[in-house]
Amino acid sequence: KAMCSGKLQTALLVAGYFVYLLVGAAVFQALERTAEKQEKMAAAQMKEAFLQSFTQLTVAEMEQFMKNLTEAIQNGVYPVGNESQFEESNWDFSNSFFFAGTVVSTIGYGTLHPKTAGGQIFCVFFALFGIPLNIVFLHRVGKMLSLLCKKLGKFLYEKGMRMKKIKFLTLLFFLATGILVFLCLPSVFFQITEGWSYSEGIYFAFITLSTIGFGDYVVGKQSDRKYFSYYRMLVAIWILFGLAWIALLFNL
């Protein structure tokens, strides 16, 4: 009964956690998408005005243009290419889910952030409840994985191995498996999808899973590359389970 109750609690926690992220993503999308569209239209108009009169601009006007351009880029608007570029949103559902995941995991790349008053206030309350929920989720998943460690240890103990050696081999096994699954293999994926070198992929994976999150490398941000739908959502799920693996290592 206790085992069934524990499994039910874990299932409810995991389901509740992902529902929380999905709801958060939907709210961020609703609050931020319209404002982003207005920013993109303003950037397109600024670019058009510049192209029509750049030979007659004064130094002060040129400085103002550079300032406006810098602000647009900082807000995630890149006024390059044709009109179709402006139709793509940084706040589609996949990107919103990715943002929600980076908020509760405290990675905070800084490349995508809410700009409306409603989005910023919602972000405060979303993080306020989401960060503790994330800690509980990681602890529970780490605990489940540690049960696998115990089963492996029990198997090795029955084979006549000493306890000290079992602990060392168990830690080594989960460390090596995690490095392969959460660092080495994803880096190949990032190398193909993002066009990064393998070392850049390893660097991004480590900086992300350690929750340092500099923001110098972020997935799905290159305007000249085509990404498949829900690419960033998939990366967000990798981040969450990668953090659970790190929680397991701390438990061990």
Side-chain angles (χ1 to χ4, degrees), residues 1-232:
K1 281 184 179 180
M3 189 176 285
C4 288
S5 176
K7 285 181 179 178
L8 180 62
Q9 285 177 0
T10 301
L12 288 172
L13 176 63
V14 172
Y17 180 72
F18 278 98
V19 166
Y20 188 81
L21 290 179
L22 290 168
V23 170
V27 174
F28 280 121
Q29 184 182 21
L31 291 171
E32 295 295 324
R33 203 164 188 176
T34 304
E36 182 202 34
K37 192 175 284 186
Q38 291 170 352
E39 277 187 12
K40 288 191 172 186
M41 287 174 65
Q45 290 167 1
M46 179 187 71
K47 177 184 173 183
E48 188 64 33
F50 173 78
L51 291 174
Q52 287 176 1
S53 59
F54 72 95
T55 56
Q56 299 151 6
L57 290 177
T58 64
V59 174
E61 288 171 336
M62 190 66 188
E63 288 288 339
Q64 186 60 45
F65 170 76
M66 295 299 291
K67 184 182 176 183
N68 293 342
L69 182 63
T70 303
E71 286 178 2
I73 292 169
Q74 286 174 344
N75 289 332
V77 177
Y78 301 91
V80 294
N82 54 28
E83 290 296 318
S84 63
Q85 190 267 340
F86 292 98
E87 293 171 11
E88 296 173 3
S89 175
N90 290 319
W91 291 101
D92 60 18
F93 192 77
S94 179
N95 284 332
S96 299
F97 185 88
F98 180 78
F99 173 74
T102 60
V103 168
V104 298
S105 61
T106 71
I107 294 170
Y109 291 116
T111 52
L112 187 65
H113 51 274
K115 291 171 272 299
T116 64
Q120 290 169 349
I121 291 168
F122 175 73
C123 188
V124 170
F125 287 99
F126 181 76
L128 194 63
F129 295 100
I131 292 170
L133 178 61
N134 182 64
I135 292 168
V136 173
F137 169 78
L138 294 179
H139 177 71
R140 181 56 66 96
V141 174
K143 205 171 180 181
M144 283 174 61
L145 291 172
S146 65
L147 291 175
L148 293 176
C149 294
K150 286 181 181 176
K151 286 182 180 178
L152 177 63
K154 190 178 178 183
F155 172 76
L156 294 173
Y157 186 74
E158 287 171 355
K159 294 292 180 182
M161 197 173 286
R162 286 182 303 159
M163 190 57 69
K164 198 171 183 180
K165 194 173 182 182
I166 288 170
K167 286 181 178 179
F168 173 74
L169 288 176
T170 302
L171 177 61
L172 187 65
F173 172 76
F174 279 94
L175 181 64
T177 305
I179 287 171
L180 178 66
V181 172
F182 293 108
L183 291 177
C184 297
L185 292 179
S187 297
V188 175
F189 177 70
F190 296 134
Q191 186 179 15
I192 295 166
T193 311
E194 298 287 344
W196 297 337
S197 66
Y198 186 71
S199 61
E200 287 173 323
I202 288 279
Y203 168 78
F204 166 76
F206 176 79
I207 292 298
T208 294
L209 295 184
S210 60
T211 71
I212 295 170
F214 288 127
D216 50 348
Y217 288 84
V218 182
V219 295
K221 295 296 290 181
Q222 300 183 64
S223 56
D224 59 336
R225 298 188 79 87
K226 278 285 180 185
Y227 300 102
F228 59 87
S229 298
Y230 300 106
Y231 165 57
R232 296 189 96 193

